[in-house]
Amino acid sequence: MSLSRLFAATLAVGLVATPAIAQQAAEDSPKPGVSGPVDPNADTGRDTITVGGGVGFVPSYEGSNDYVLIPAAAIRGRVSGFNFASRGTNLGVDLIRDQSPTGLDLRFGPVVNLNFNRTGRIVDPVVRALGRRKLAVEVGGSAGIAKTGVFTSPYDTLAASVTVLADVTGIHKSYTITPTIDYGTPLSRKAYVGISLSGTWVGDGYARTYFGVDPTGAANSGLPVFANPRGGFKNYTVAALGTYSLTGDLRHGLGLYVAGSYSRLHGDFARSPIVSVRGSPNQFFGAIGLGYTF
């Protein structure tokens, strides 16, 4: 299995197998036989963990037009009031435990990401001739704010966050900045839907490592030289997800998770020969899986 494809698949499954606000909304929703709103802080201290696995339909590398089916997994949970969750190939922890009585929730904490892009088997033989990339470990943090009870009910949640990561392994010697807006709402105690909009800015080193074609690579692959792509706005992504409890309650038990997303590469990232000649700037992701909440 290609690790670059694992990177893409867990991106999709990570969005669906770990809907933290779905869990919170389910905990806050009215109990059977009780009408009207309930205490928004009820049952928020319970330790919980959700593990999920499934299958993803993803590009073989970032910018590829070859799609493959691969396995994927995700995890999220809360221990002693601290939330943690995987999203794609990163794992983050929220170090701010308390939620305001007004429904505002501040979020801040460390994030670690494993960048597998182009580290494993690549379907396209021309791009494969450019050579593999080594695994990059990216470390940084995320900060954001969320508000519960915004549009459709006292239990929907709108959140905004920014994640900043830097390569600490010297592979691309650069950074990524990803602002994200998430909105989610429970449809019942069994069902939840959400949407997400994000964009990613990266440094010059990231662009050269994953989208550049140096003279040696051009000679080996037959692609034109594209040695110094510039960093900047790399792509935007629109994603949607759905969760349905198979055991009757989003708070615990078995659930079905489905997600899909569309991403569009821009600038030198779209102009790179591995995209413009051998791939596509339009990137589609899909995933379906099962998760269990303890």
Side-chain angles (χ1 to χ4, degrees):
M1 180 184 64
S2 166
L3 290 178
S4 62
R5 296 187 312 217
L6 176 62
F7 159 73
T10 51
L11 174 65
V13 175
L15 290 174
V16 292
T18 61
I21 48 180
Q23 172 85 17
Q24 184 61 60
E27 290 175 347
D28 297 343
S29 57
K31 305 298 185 289
V34 178
S35 61
V38 297
D39 179 3
N41 295 310
D43 197 27
T44 60
R46 183 173 67 92
D47 287 353
T48 179
I49 185 170
T50 301
V51 293
V55 63
F57 177 72
V58 301
S60 74
Y61 65 86
E62 190 176 16
S64 175
N65 61 358
D66 296 307
Y67 285 79
V68 292
L69 287 173
I70 68 152
I75 188 171
R76 71 160 296 273
R78 179 174 57 237
V79 177
S80 299
F82 293 105
N83 292 293
F84 61 91
S86 63
R87 186 161 185 162
T89 53
N90 73 40
L91 177 66
V93 179
D94 182 8
L95 299 180
I96 301 178
R97 293 192 296 183
D98 297 331
Q99 185 180 45
S100 165
T102 64
L104 285 176
D105 180 21
L106 297 178
R107 300 171 179 179
F108 177 80
V111 178
V112 176
N113 182 62
L114 301 179
N115 189 335
F116 291 108
N117 191 25
R118 292 177 58 187
T119 61
R121 186 176 65 85
I122 299 170
V123 173
D124 190 321
V126 173
V127 177
R128 188 163 64 242
L130 294 174
R132 297 183 179 184
R133 302 295 182 259
K134 294 182 179 180
L135 171 68
V137 179
E138 300 162 348
V139 176
S142 180
I145 187 170
K147 178 69 168 67
T148 301
V150 182
F151 300 119
T152 62
S153 75
Y155 316 113
D156 67 339
T157 301
L158 179 66
S161 63
V162 176
T163 300
V164 180
L165 296 169
D167 173 25
V168 296
T169 48
I171 304 304
H172 60 76
K173 301 177 183 179
S174 190
Y175 64 88
T176 67
I177 302 173
T178 305
T180 303
I181 297 175
D182 294 298
Y183 175 75
T185 184
L187 304 179
S188 67
R189 293 181 68 86
K190 292 183 178 182
Y192 168 89
V193 294
I195 57 174
S196 175
L197 175 64
S198 64
T200 302
W201 278 258
V202 302
D204 291 345
Y206 187 103
R208 288 192 299 268
T209 299
Y210 299 112
F211 292 88
V213 180
D214 62 20
T216 300
N220 291 337
S221 67
L223 291 172
V225 174
F226 194 67
N228 293 298
R230 299 290 301 274
F233 178 58
K234 179 172 70 75
N235 68 297
Y236 68 81
T237 300
V238 180
L241 63 93
T243 304
Y244 185 80
S245 172
L246 299 177
T247 51
D249 196 323
L250 288 170
R251 295 175 299 174
H252 50 77
L254 187 65
L256 174 68
Y257 304 91
V258 180
S261 73
Y262 167 75
S263 180
R264 172 80 183 191
L265 293 165
H266 284 269
D268 278 359
F269 307 97
R271 288 188 285 269
S272 168
I274 73 168
V275 178
S276 62
V277 178
R278 302 301 302 182
S280 171
N282 300 302
Q283 303 283 280
F284 298 92
F285 304 86
I288 185 169
L290 295 174
Y292 196 91
T293 300
F294 299 89

